[in-house]
Amino acid sequence: MLLAGWFAPAAVVLAEMPTYTLTFKPDGTFEPARLEVTAGRFKIVLVNQSKQAVEFESLPLRAEKVLGPGVTSFVVLSLSKPDEYPFFDDFHPEVKGTLVVVPKP
């Protein structure tokens, strides 16, 4: 019971965080290929709809996540500087996208 109380605040913080979805499509593309997010701390839900393993990777963001076929997972990022950050599928390097961080309104 004590552990449940300790982990509950973390779950609340993740629930309140802005959340965006990035899907690995069966045709070998990202949807959307250009994902726009608001600066700050946010979560990107990664959905692999393909029948192959994929790896979300971004060198400038220092982020990577491997997903098996049909798997859904997420990454949490914190970016305060509006800019564009490339990402790609490390298992299929020709599949590329861009994360666009826009200023808070």
Side-chain angles (χ1 to χ4, degrees), residues 1-4 6 8-9 11 14 17 20-21 23 26 28 31 37 52 58 60 62 65-66 73 76 84 98:
M1 189 66 147
L2 181 60
L3 282 177
W6 190 76
L14 283 176
M17 190 178 311
Y20 306 90
T21 300
T23 303
E31 178 66 37
V37 302
Q52 298 180 335
S58 175
R62 297 182 185 176
K65 187 72 149 190
V66 174
S73 189
V76 175
E84 294 190 6
T98 305

Side-chain angles (χ1 to χ4, degrees), residues 23-44:
T23 303
F24 296 84
K25 303 297 281 182
D27 66 358
T29 61
F30 287 116
E31 178 66 37
R34 189 171 173 85
L35 179 62
E36 188 172 297
V37 302
T38 303
R41 189 171 167 89
F42 56 90
K43 177 168 65 170
I44 300 176

Side-chain angles (χ1 to χ4, degrees), residues 35-98:
L35 179 62
E36 188 172 297
V37 302
T38 303
R41 189 171 167 89
F42 56 90
K43 177 168 65 170
I44 300 176
V45 175
L46 303 167
V47 179
N48 183 3
Q49 292 181 345
S50 77
K51 295 189 184 304
Q52 298 180 335
V54 296
E55 181 178 359
F56 169 83
E57 183 155 352
S58 175
L59 301 176
L61 296 173
R62 297 182 185 176
E64 61 183 322
K65 187 72 149 190
V66 174
L67 294 94
V71 171
T72 297
S73 189
F74 68 91
V75 293
V76 175
L77 300 170
S78 184
L79 299 168
S80 58
K81 179 182 172 228
D83 204 347
E84 294 190 6
Y85 301 88
F87 59 84
F88 59 99
D89 175 356
D90 198 27
F91 296 155
H92 309 92
E94 69 282 359
V95 181
K96 300 177 190 232
T98 305

